Amino acid sequence: MGTQASPRGRNPRGQGDRLRAEIIDATLGLLDELGDDQALSMRAVARAVGTAATSVYLHFADRDALVLATLRHCHDDLMRAADEAAAGSDDPAEQLRARVLVLGTWSRRHPGLYRVMHESAVNRRPETAFRSEVADSTTAAVRRCMDAGVAPAGDAQLVALDLRAAVHGAVALRLSQPQLDWPPLTAQIDRFLTRLVGLPAR
Amino acid sequence: MGTQASPRGRNPRGQGDRLRAEIIDATLGLLDELGDDQALSMRAVARAVGTAATSVYLHFADRDALVLATLRHCHDDLMRAADEAAAGSDDPAEQLRARVLVLGTWSRRHPGLYRVMHESAVNRRPETAFRSEVADSTTAAVRRCMDAGVAPAGDAQLVALDLRAAVHGAVALRLSQPQLDWPPLTAQIDRFLTRLVGLPAR
DNA sequence: ATCCTAACTGAACACTTGTAACTGTACGGC
DNA sequence: GCCGTACAGTTACAAGTGTTCAGTTAGGAT
């Protein structure tokens, strides 16, 4: 329980940011366990890092700032994963599929973090505008499919919204009731790609 | 702020359960405001009812029991609304549509409660098995569409799951970022009914 | 008028929380 | 040798939490 890290030594002069990185890292872990940003306590973060509770305030103004910074970190990681997955193919359809599947695999690897990113009250604050990047990249991928003719022409933004909603719903249902046994997510996502976007069946 | 109800008088002899109903009612209101069952405090409930904090324990063993009872109440209300809506038509397609639309309108009327019902950690407990009733009723409605020939035959359970996921996703996205302006939910649900279930376009 | 008991209350325990104010400590330059 | 400063820890406070326990009231039966 008392996941007290080894008594950390002080950082050398120029590297005061090292503690900052450790704090964000610990916060990522805690948020993933908790699945709720409101349940995160500064003291728990400090305990996990092995530092004094007040030392967190040297790098983050308050709890909200810490959560926000951590979620931004999280978001960048998710975006990078999506971009990397899409880079594996030249086919726009495969790129869209890869991009969407990343959401599924990422949510399985970091269930709590996925929940915090999508359900937390922080999303209602303007500082989390970065979240729209994921939406925009999906819309762009859908549009490329239409332009390439692998998907019927249409309102890319609306189609992308339908796809995002469906995929998020599929993921969210699985996260909220993990004790049930769900049919494979990948097949469900493929159905969404076929029926909502109009990609050819695999 | 101090939503202190009028100093309530004691209930007559046989009607001790009246306080129980008032407590559940207050809890419904608080959970809808908070959108998170972990943020609910027994003292806040007591304040809202206008009673002593300890009196809550006369009717509920602990906080979890109170939340569970409240969610069960909530669920019954949702099911009744869906059944009533479906009773308005004889066409299985219209019945399915009405049933699904109820989820949308209910979520708009009780955003916080919808979130608690779908996102709360209580869902991972076996006592919330009643949640599957909503899923089952949707599956049955889909199957009736297939049997009546208004939807192409197929795996009703799988189709219903796709539909539920999509609708829940559409609702959840809107709830988690209400500051964005979303296209109409009804039209989106109709697209889902057409493309995922195969109902004729309206 | 008495008593029983259902219905309810107040005070208290043993915490946890965010955060401000203060107090060190060791390293690099002088 | 000295000292400023970047980096950190200690102490403390006021507020809040779930829950328990020992009462206290009042309505109905005797």
Side-chain angles (χ1 to χ4, degrees):
Chain A
M1 291 299 122
T3 34
Q4 188 134 5
S6 54
R8 18 168 305 110
R10 162 184 313 232
N11 285 319
R13 264 272 153 132
Q15 313 239 356
D17 285 346
R18 195 169 291 176
L19 177 58
R20 186 182 201 274
E22 286 182 48
I23 290 174
I24 288 206
D25 220 55
T27 306
L28 282 170
L30 285 174
L31 283 183
D32 202 18
E33 282 174 31
L34 297 170
D36 177 11
D37 79 283
Q38 299 240 54
L40 181 84
S41 93
M42 296 297 252
R43 292 171 134 100
V45 171
R47 271 194 298 273
V49 175
T51 189
T54 50
S55 297
V56 179
Y57 288 90
L58 299 173
H59 297 280
F60 302 96
D62 51 19
R63 219 198 47 165
D64 266 24
L66 170 59
V67 170
L68 262 157
T70 305
L71 285 191
R72 178 163 271 124
H73 191 91
C74 219
H75 168 267
D76 291 348
D77 184 59
L78 183 55
M79 277 295 284
R80 192 160 7 91
D83 288 344
E84 280 176 15
S89 169
D90 284 340
D91 180 13
E94 278 304 317
Q95 287 183 350
L96 174 61
R97 180 170 187 266
R99 213 168 248 290
V100 171
L101 282 179
V102 160
L103 289 178
T105 63
W106 199 91
S107 77
R108 235 195 282 276
R109 209 191 309 278
H110 309 292
L113 284 175
Y114 186 94
R115 296 177 60 117
V116 174
M117 290 194 73
H118 285 85
E119 301 169 1
S120 162
V122 182
N123 289 306
R124 267 160 269 178
R125 300 181 38 175
E127 295 95 319
T128 49
F130 54 77
R131 265 203 59 186
S132 66
E133 286 180 31
V134 175
D136 292 343
S137 73
T138 307
T139 305
V142 168
R143 187 168 287 125
R144 276 194 294 275
C145 287
M146 291 178 174
D147 290 346
V150 289
D155 185 337
Q157 197 163 353
L158 213 60
V159 170
L161 175 62
D162 288 358
L163 179 63
R164 282 200 301 128
V167 171
H168 170 60
V171 168
L173 285 183
R174 283 167 173 81
L175 288 186
S176 94
Q177 293 179 294
Q179 78 280 11
L180 304 184
D181 53 331
W182 300 90
L185 177 63
T186 303
Q188 187 169 30
I189 287 180
D190 278 330
R191 288 197 298 279
F192 289 148
L193 287 169
T194 305
R195 300 165 116 109
L196 295 178
V197 184
L199 295 189
R202 285 176 67 83
Chain B
M1 285 295 125
T3 34
Q4 188 134 4
S6 53
R8 21 167 302 111
R10 162 184 312 231
N11 284 318
R13 265 268 151 138
Q15 313 244 351
D17 285 346
R18 196 168 291 177
L19 176 59
R20 186 181 200 276
E22 285 182 48
I23 289 173
I24 288 205
D25 219 55
T27 307
L28 282 169
L30 284 174
L31 282 183
D32 202 18
E33 283 175 31
L34 297 170
D36 178 13
D37 79 284
Q38 300 240 54
L40 181 84
S41 94
M42 297 298 251
R43 293 170 136 102
V45 171
R47 270 193 300 273
V49 177
T51 190
T54 49
S55 298
V56 180
Y57 288 89
L58 298 174
H59 297 279
F60 303 95
D62 50 19
R63 218 197 48 165
D64 266 24
L66 170 59
V67 170
L68 262 157
T70 306
L71 286 191
R72 179 163 270 124
H73 191 92
C74 218
H75 167 269
D76 291 347
D77 184 58
L78 183 55
M79 277 296 282
R80 192 161 6 91
D83 288 344
E84 280 176 15
S89 169
D90 285 340
D91 179 12
E94 278 304 316
Q95 287 182 351
L96 174 61
R97 181 170 186 265
R99 214 168 248 291
V100 171
L101 283 179
V102 160
L103 290 178
T105 62
W106 199 92
S107 78
R108 234 195 284 276
R109 210 191 308 279
H110 310 292
L113 284 175
Y114 186 94
R115 296 177 59 119
V116 174
M117 290 194 75
H118 286 84
E119 301 169 0
S120 161
V122 181
N123 289 305
R124 266 159 270 178
R125 297 182 41 174
E127 295 96 320
T128 50
F130 54 77
R131 265 202 59 186
S132 67
E133 285 180 31
V134 175
D136 292 342
S137 72
T138 307
T139 304
V142 167
R143 186 168 289 125
R144 277 193 295 276
C145 287
M146 290 178 175
D147 290 346
V150 288
D155 184 338
Q157 197 164 354
L158 213 60
V159 170
L161 175 63
D162 288 357
L163 180 63
R164 282 199 303 128
V167 171
H168 169 60
V171 168
L173 285 183
R174 283 167 172 81
L175 287 185
S176 96
Q177 294 180 293
Q179 77 280 12
L180 304 184
D181 53 330
W182 300 88
L185 176 63
T186 304
Q188 187 169 29
I189 288 180
D190 278 329
R191 289 197 297 279
F192 290 148
L193 287 169
T194 306
R195 299 167 118 111
L196 295 178
V197 184
L199 295 190
R202 286 176 66 85

